[in-house]
Amino acid sequence: MAIVCGLTFYQQARSVKSHESQAVAALSGISGSEVLKDGGISSTAITQAQDHTAKAKSIAHGPLWSIASVLPGVGNDVKTVRGMTEVLDDLTQRSLPTISSMSHKLATAQLNSQDGVLNLKPLVSIQSDFATVSTRMKHQLDTYDSLPTPKIGMIANAYRQGKERLASVVGAVDHLNSVMQMMPAILGQNGARTYLIAVQTTSEQRSGGGLVGSVGTLQANQGNVSVGEFRADAELINGGNGNAEEYAVFNGPLAFSLDVRDTFAVPNLKRNAEMLAATWQRSPYASEVDGFIAIDPVFIQEMVKLNGNVTLQDGTVLTGNNTAQCLLNTIYKDVPVAQQDAYFEYIAQTVMDQAFSNLNATKMMAMANSIGDLIEQRHFYAYTTHADETKYFQESGISGKESTPQVGIYLNEQNPSKLGWYIDRKATVTKTATNKDGSRSYHVKYTLTNTLTDSEIASANTYILGGVQKGVENKPVAESGTSVQRMLFYAPAGGSIGKISSKGDVRDQRETTMDGKQLTTSVAYLAPGESVTFEFDVTTSPKATAELTIDQTPSGKLRNEVDYQY
């Protein structure tokens, strides 16, 4: 009898594994780009997933499993499997249909009125429901995460696959929820708003993005949106905005003036807002502002992809594939310095005008899908000074919350150049322990490589390669093109960071404080073809409920390579 029960249990365990694996396969196409696309998640995918999760749940809650749940050796695994099937079934039966229904409602909404003013009511009408389902899904993920990994080999793999897919879908919905809550506020849902738009170039890196090349405005009131004229940074260099601690950190080799160009050297959005506003108020264009929006060439490229190609006066056609490279590299080779500001301003103005004009439901959903990744990778910032609107705007501090720990790694180019395009990054985050107090420990390895080749040096100019800067005065001319990065390292909120070791030409490592936060700073010298590597240990807060991630300076591609080994 025991043998028969054992064989039956084994066969049922295989069935649970099969159904859960097929449910995960049905959901595998659902990502941030699909959740709101074409009226919602595929009904076929939802139906298939529902069928498999329901069957898996039914099997795992059958009489034989009830008996097995009290047996030594397998009892805890049975409880885990039951919890797994309950969570995934709840996801497919409740959460996904709700999202699909909201997506369909938004897809059929009329956002444009006859006078060109955006109708915000359809967006506002689903905000509460979107927030509710996002919260419910995060609770589903927390419940799943609290389940121990099963020891039954055949089910452990299905458990891990389910966890990965659930985390992906929950993350996509969370991003979308933030955007759906934020966009109506930006568009003037709560009254007239004026935001500064800062356009950055990550070819000359600053912690939060890049050197600010121009600033414009976005004005919105109850869906009536207009984009004002952009002003080159040369018109706005009207004094420094730094405090004593900030000047002490950015004191060399190239001492930052912390004028408008260096706004995002400080990785703190509240300070960025204060600095931009101060610059704007000292300018001839002074006006009250309600926050800022910061964009870079990767954001511009995504908007071109959504809204259509942009043709420049010289016939150059910017597309959803070549815009970032054009703005971060090609323009510095082919366009005279005196004309570069005008190019940037024209492109930024055109793209932002296109983004907020003729905003129909399809376009709105496409923007919402794209902005989630752009926010996560720091290609897009939205910051408001209105306290009652801040919940879904980006956090003002750095390195995340204690519950979602992030280690901050930020770059600041100290050679006045456009070498950021050539700096490749690779990182590995390896989990090393889960500690008794609930905190988690990791080892981080972070490598920068200057990919500039001899042929590229030969075809580049001083504007790209930079001049002779402090620290490389005695290097031969053949080694021009040395990138010099002022590095900033921050521990996760409520956590700690160990001593940082390095390989390569790294100098001036020291501990310091800036704007109330402890950090480690050093200077990395990267000659063409050379690399530097930093390694250190990180411990999170005991309140951490998620694994450690890296928050870093954006580059010229959507994502930098990080291998998370959990």
Side-chain angles (χ1 to χ4, degrees):
M1 183 65 179
I3 294 175
V4 173
C5 289
L7 288 173
T8 303
F9 180 78
Y10 176 78
Q11 290 172 343
Q12 290 186 359
R14 290 188 64 181
S15 293
V16 170
K17 175 198 172 186
S18 176
H19 284 304
E20 294 293 45
S21 296
Q22 290 179 77
V24 168
L27 298 176
S28 63
I30 301 173
S31 63
S33 62
E34 298 293 329
V35 173
L36 289 182
K37 186 177 180 181
D38 297 330
I41 303 167
S42 163
S43 59
T44 301
I46 293 177
T47 300
Q48 289 175 350
Q50 287 175 332
D51 180 59
H52 289 299
T53 59
K55 288 177 179 176
K57 179 181 175 181
S58 177
I59 294 170
H61 287 74
L64 186 58
W65 288 69
S66 295
I67 296 171
S69 68
V70 297
L71 296 178
V74 298
N76 287 334
D77 272 14
V78 169
K79 293 174 184 177
T80 294
V81 172
R82 283 180 156 181
M84 173 182 74
T85 62
E86 288 168 1
V87 169
L88 291 180
D89 193 52
D90 191 40
L91 171 76
T92 61
Q93 303 295 339
R94 296 175 64 209
S95 299
L96 295 187
T98 301
I99 294 170
S100 186
S101 175
M102 290 188 298
S103 301
H104 179 73
K105 182 178 179 180
L106 185 58
T108 56
Q110 181 62 44
L111 297 185
N112 265 329
S113 63
Q114 291 183 347
D115 58 5
V117 176
L118 293 173
N119 174 22
L120 300 179
K121 290 181 180 179
L123 301 180
V124 175
S125 69
I126 67 170
Q127 285 181 318
S128 177
D129 289 341
F130 222 120
T132 298
V133 75
S134 178
T135 299
R136 185 168 72 222
M137 291 179 69
K138 283 190 276 189
H139 176 70
Q140 290 166 338
L141 180 59
D142 290 342
T143 300
Y144 200 110
D145 281 344
S146 68
L147 300 171
T149 303
K151 294 184 177 64
I152 300 173
M154 71 175 70
I155 295 179
N157 188 48
Y159 171 85
R160 285 191 294 269
Q161 289 178 338
K163 184 175 181 177
E164 291 172 1
R165 176 46 37 195
L166 179 60
S168 176
V169 174
V170 172
V173 172
D174 186 41
H175 278 312
L176 287 168
N177 178 49
S178 294
V179 173
M180 298 307 292
Q181 306 294 337
M182 178 179 66
M183 285 299 286
I186 289 178
L187 298 173
Q189 168 192 352
N190 301 319
R193 297 286 186 266
T194 297
Y195 297 93
L196 297 177
I197 305 175
V199 183
Q200 308 174 79
T201 172
T202 50
S203 282
E204 193 162 349
Q205 289 131 325
R206 301 292 184 263
S207 296
L211 181 142
V212 175
S214 60
V215 178
T217 58
L218 183 144
Q219 295 176 317
N221 187 7
Q222 299 294 331
N224 193 346
V225 182
S226 63
V227 178
E229 186 175 351
F230 280 76
R231 309 291 178 177
D233 58 14
E235 298 183 61
L236 300 170
I237 298 175
N238 53 25
N241 297 310
N243 59 39
E245 286 185 333
E246 292 162 355
Y247 281 116
V249 169
F250 298 107
N251 61 352
L254 175 68
F256 283 175
S257 63
L258 294 175
D259 60 31
V260 65
R261 296 167 296 181
D262 301 326
T263 298
F264 291 92
V266 179
N268 182 304
L269 292 184
K270 185 173 185 295
R271 283 290 296 129
N272 301 154
E274 293 168 351
M275 296 164 87
L276 278 175
T279 294
W280 193 250
Q281 301 309 341
R282 290 193 298 262
S283 76
Y285 319 108
S287 64
E288 290 300 315
V289 296
D290 299 280
F292 73 84
I293 295 169
I295 62 177
D296 71 2
V298 172
F299 171 88
I300 292 174
Q301 178 169 283
E302 288 300 304
M303 292 303 102
V304 171
K305 187 181 297 182
L306 293 177
N307 296 299
N309 296 346
V310 174
T311 302
L312 304 180
Q313 291 179 338
D314 64 1
T316 300
V317 178
L318 301 184
T319 72
N321 296 314
N322 70 358
T323 299
Q325 179 168 0
C326 177
L327 294 180
L328 291 170
N329 185 246
T330 309
I331 191 173
Y332 302 121
K333 297 177 180 178
D334 298 345
V335 179
V337 174
Q339 298 175 24
Q340 289 171 7
D341 285 342
Y343 266 72
F344 264 103
E345 290 163 29
Y346 172 76
I347 294 166
Q349 179 95 42
T350 301
V351 168
M352 293 305 287
D353 278 337
Q354 288 181 346
F356 291 102
S357 63
N358 300 316
L359 191 61
N360 56 32
T362 301
K363 187 174 174 181
M364 175 69 193
M365 289 190 290
M367 286 180 63
N369 279 317
S370 296
I371 286 176
D373 280 341
L374 293 167
I375 289 174
E376 181 185 348
Q377 299 300 317
R378 286 184 171 264
H379 298 294
F380 173 88
Y381 296 98
Y383 182 84
T384 178
T385 59
H386 293 269
D388 58 337
E389 297 178 358
T390 58
K391 182 177 181 181
Y392 292 103
F393 282 73
Q394 283 158 297
E395 295 292 318
S396 62
I398 43 189
S399 301
K401 302 175 182 177
E402 288 189 62
S403 59
T404 53
Q406 291 186 302
V407 58
I409 304 177
Y410 307 115
L411 288 66
N412 292 272
E413 181 60 70
Q414 300 280 281
N415 176 359
S417 65
K418 297 296 182 286
L419 291 171
W421 177 254
Y422 301 98
I423 304 303
D424 182 63
R425 310 178 208 171
K426 287 184 173 60
T428 302
V429 179
T430 305
K431 189 174 184 179
T432 55
T434 298
N435 306 309
K436 291 183 179 180
D437 64 354
S439 63
R440 311 175 192 194
S441 296
Y442 303 83
H443 185 74
V444 178
K445 184 177 181 180
Y446 193 83
T447 299
L448 302 175
T449 302
N450 186 340
T451 65
L452 194 65
T453 64
D454 290 341
S455 62
E456 288 169 329
I457 291 174
S459 65
N461 51 41
T462 303
Y463 199 71
I464 292 175
L465 300 176
V468 177
Q469 69 281 6
K470 185 178 180 181
V472 294
E473 304 96 328
N474 298 322
K475 288 184 177 290
V477 174
E479 292 192 27
S480 63
T482 296
S483 174
V484 183
Q485 298 288 348
R486 166 65 67 182
M487 306 293 300
L488 309 181
F489 298 88
Y490 287 85
S496 61
I497 189 169
K499 182 174 176 57
I500 299 173
S501 65
S502 60
K503 293 180 181 178
D505 192 352
V506 178
R507 314 177 199 175
D508 186 30
Q509 182 164 306
R510 53 192 164 94
E511 310 296 317
T512 188
T513 302
M514 184 168 68
D515 297 323
K517 291 186 179 290
Q518 298 290 321
L519 70 144
T520 301
T521 183
S522 59
V523 183
Y525 291 80
L526 290 151
E530 293 186 1
S531 300
V532 298
T533 297
F534 300 92
E535 294 195 57
F536 51 91
D537 294 320
V538 176
T539 299
T540 70
S541 163
K543 298 178 182 178
T545 59
E547 303 287 7
L548 181 74
T549 58
I550 293 178
D551 180 37
Q552 61 179 310
T553 302
S555 70
K557 52 189 178 182
L558 179 59
R559 290 180 178 274
N560 291 294
E561 184 178 335
V562 182
D563 181 12
Y564 290 109
Q565 299 181 352
Y566 300 144

